[in-house]
Amino acid sequence: MDSFWQYLQHLTSAKTFIDLGFYVLLVVVFAETGIFFGFFLPGDYLLFMAGLFCSTGQLNVSITPLILSLIAAGVLGNYAGYWFGIRTGPALFNKDNSFFFKRHHLIIAEDFYAKYGATALVLGRFFPIIRTFAPIFAGVVKVDIKKFTLYNFIGCIAWVNTFTLGGYLLGRKFPQLDKYVRYVVLGLIIVTTLPLIYAFLKRKLHRRENIKELN
């Protein structure tokens, strides 16, 4: 448990974040929002920390260019995922699992898309894994580019502003909050992961029920 807290402290410390740099942050957001091997990247709490450290002056960039840059990275990331989905098409579902690619992640995105339609591109921004694979699946099914562009911008603007401005405003109101970032990050991880755990368990239970009916 102590090693876990040490890992969180190292991951979320101001020095580590500053050492990574502003442009590395943009690359992480780009990768996590459309490149299939970026599903494990910590998009939500990095946005939150970016806003928090911006408010305390530990990130040397003002809030407006920070938000605009993050939105640009997120929008371009989704376009990259959409293009990848168009290029690979149905063959992606037959791709073998590897360290960087898990087929069930694409299936989760497919189920989410089937439930919410094109708005999954907006809602999916707030869920790890779905955030990465929803634009790829949109490319696979060839969603109209105009519709995709609309939802891409709406989703990214909502996602970036929610977490980055949230961190920024809390940092302005509670300047000492950066000393408790590990707890904030842990809370964000739990909140954003619970819906995926619920979806996974629900899908597993549904499969068991189908097997019982067949038997």
Side-chain angles (χ1 to χ4, degrees), residues 23-195:
Y23 294 106
V24 172
L25 169 64
L26 298 183
V27 171
V28 169
V29 172
F30 173 84
E32 206 231 0
T33 54
I35 301 178
F36 69 85
F37 57 77
F39 68 89
F40 63 90
L41 294 170
D44 292 333
Y45 68 76
L46 276 184
L47 292 183
F48 183 88
M49 285 197 298
L52 177 62
F53 289 137
C54 177
S55 70
T56 59
Q58 293 169 292
L59 184 61
N60 190 25
V61 60
S62 60
I63 188 63
T64 300
L66 174 63
I67 286 178
L68 292 176
S69 299
L70 290 171
I71 289 173
V75 166
L76 292 174
N78 259 22
Y79 275 126
Y82 180 78
W83 174 83
F84 180 77
I86 288 177
R87 296 282 294 184
T88 56
L92 190 62
F93 286 89
N94 298 320
K95 183 179 174 60
D96 293 333
N97 284 329
S98 65
F99 179 79
F100 291 110
F101 176 79
K102 304 297 181 185
R103 193 185 303 108
H104 66 272
H105 290 160
L106 188 61
I107 294 172
I108 289 174
E110 180 186 18
D111 290 345
F112 194 82
Y113 196 91
K115 184 175 181 180
Y116 295 104
T119 55
L121 295 168
V122 176
L123 299 175
R125 287 278 187 177
F126 294 87
F127 299 97
I129 299 177
I130 292 173
R131 179 165 52 245
T132 303
F133 285 89
I136 295 175
F137 183 76
V140 171
V141 299
K142 294 181 171 58
V143 172
D144 178 71
I145 186 62
K146 293 180 181 178
K147 181 183 290 186
F148 178 83
T149 297
L150 175 63
Y151 287 114
N152 185 10
F153 274 90
I154 292 174
C156 192
I157 290 170
W159 178 56
V160 170
N161 278 284
T162 297
F163 286 98
T164 310
L165 274 182
Y168 180 79
L169 294 175
L170 281 174
R172 292 291 296 270
K173 189 172 181 63
F174 306 103
Q176 303 301 316
L177 187 63
D178 62 333
K179 296 180 180 179
Y180 304 96
V181 165
R182 72 173 82 172
Y183 301 103
V184 175
V185 168
L186 183 61
L188 285 171
I189 291 173
I190 292 172
V191 168
T192 57
T193 303
L194 282 176

